Amino acid sequence: MMEVSVGGTAIVVLLALILVALIVLIVVLLRRRSSAPSPAPAPAAPRDPFAAEDQVAGDPRTLKAGDMVEYLGTRYFVRGSLRLKEGGFTWSEHLLDADTIEGTKVWVSVEEDPDLEVVWWTEHDAGDLTPGEKTIVVDGVEYRRDEHGTADYTSEGTTGVGVQGRVEYVDYEGPRGRYLSFEQYGGGQWEAGLGERVPTGSMTIYPGGGS
């Protein structure tokens, strides 16, 4: 009986030692894991600054009549839009409610060629200016002739032109994101506008009702 009891005690002690060893091993492994350096986070992928998703300023490519635009501290309503097409190239021009600038039309154009370009346009009295010269100087700024073509357009909302038709245009480019453009709708008189490129994030769009 004594021999059996001693043997049983030895087994219990052996099991206890094995259990303690397992506990120590687990503690050591957990400490090693917690002290291992965390992998560095992957760098954020480049994003389109005008992407529609999570875009606080809104997407200029979706502008339509009824939307509101805030630019340089002033808010404007989009009164109407022109959708233009020349061959496989399309772009849009939007007439803004310019009550704060009496008698002057304000437009914003949106095109991708291939990068997105948004330009703020104000009406300019053409006077004796015609788009026949390679360079034109307006208010001390020299503009060089860049593009000339004819596009088909459709009109939405209030734009001051017909529902659809053709427009001839001649574009000039100046320094530091400045532009001069001439447009002639349906063979009428040339209309001129001075444009400035809109910096990314400086224009906020508030969608209006409707689709």
Side-chain angles (χ1 to χ4, degrees):
M1 294 293 293
M2 279 299 288
E3 292 181 0
V4 174
S5 176
V6 171
T9 301
I11 292 174
V12 171
V13 172
L14 180 60
L15 291 175
L17 290 174
I18 294 173
L19 181 60
V20 171
L22 288 174
I23 293 174
V24 172
L25 180 61
I26 292 172
V27 171
V28 171
L29 291 176
L30 290 176
R31 285 183 178 178
R32 286 184 179 178
R33 179 175 297 179
S34 62
S35 62
S38 300
R47 296 184 60 189
D48 180 353
F50 283 112
E53 57 185 56
D54 300 328
Q55 177 56 251
V56 177
D59 185 357
R61 290 166 291 199
T62 65
L63 271 174
K64 63 185 184 305
D67 290 349
M68 186 168 65
V69 171
E70 183 174 355
Y71 183 58
L72 300 181
T74 302
R75 292 185 175 182
Y76 305 83
F77 282 99
V78 180
R79 300 185 60 192
S81 302
L82 292 175
R83 312 294 181 180
L84 301 107
K85 182 177 182 180
E86 183 180 13
F89 183 61
T90 61
W91 69 99
S92 299
E93 297 177 1
H94 309 277
L95 176 63
L96 306 183
D97 187 339
D99 289 343
T100 57
I101 310 177
E102 186 175 355
T104 301
K105 291 182 180 180
V106 178
W107 292 78
V108 60
S109 64
V110 182
E111 61 179 285
E112 292 180 279
D113 188 25
D115 296 328
L116 181 64
E117 183 176 74
V118 182
V119 179
W120 190 268
W121 298 91
T122 53
E123 186 179 38
H124 179 74
D125 184 5
D128 296 330
L129 290 178
T130 58
E133 302 296 329
K134 291 184 177 180
T135 61
I136 296 178
V137 177
V138 178
D139 298 334
V141 179
E142 183 179 82
Y143 298 88
R144 295 183 177 275
R145 186 163 171 163
D146 181 47
E147 289 184 301
H148 177 208
T150 303
D152 297 311
Y153 72 82
T154 56
S155 176
E156 305 168 0
T158 300
T159 60
V161 299
V163 176
Q164 60 185 16
R166 292 176 65 81
V167 56
E168 183 179 1
Y169 66 89
V170 183
D171 291 338
Y172 289 75
E173 186 170 351
R176 297 180 295 279
R178 295 185 179 184
Y179 302 93
L180 168 66
S181 181
F182 293 86
E183 293 181 332
Q184 186 181 57
Y185 290 88
Q189 294 183 337
W190 285 106
E191 299 177 9
L194 295 175
E196 291 188 0
R197 187 181 299 123
V198 176
T200 302
S202 62
M203 186 175 71
T204 304
I205 299 169
Y206 302 92
S211 57

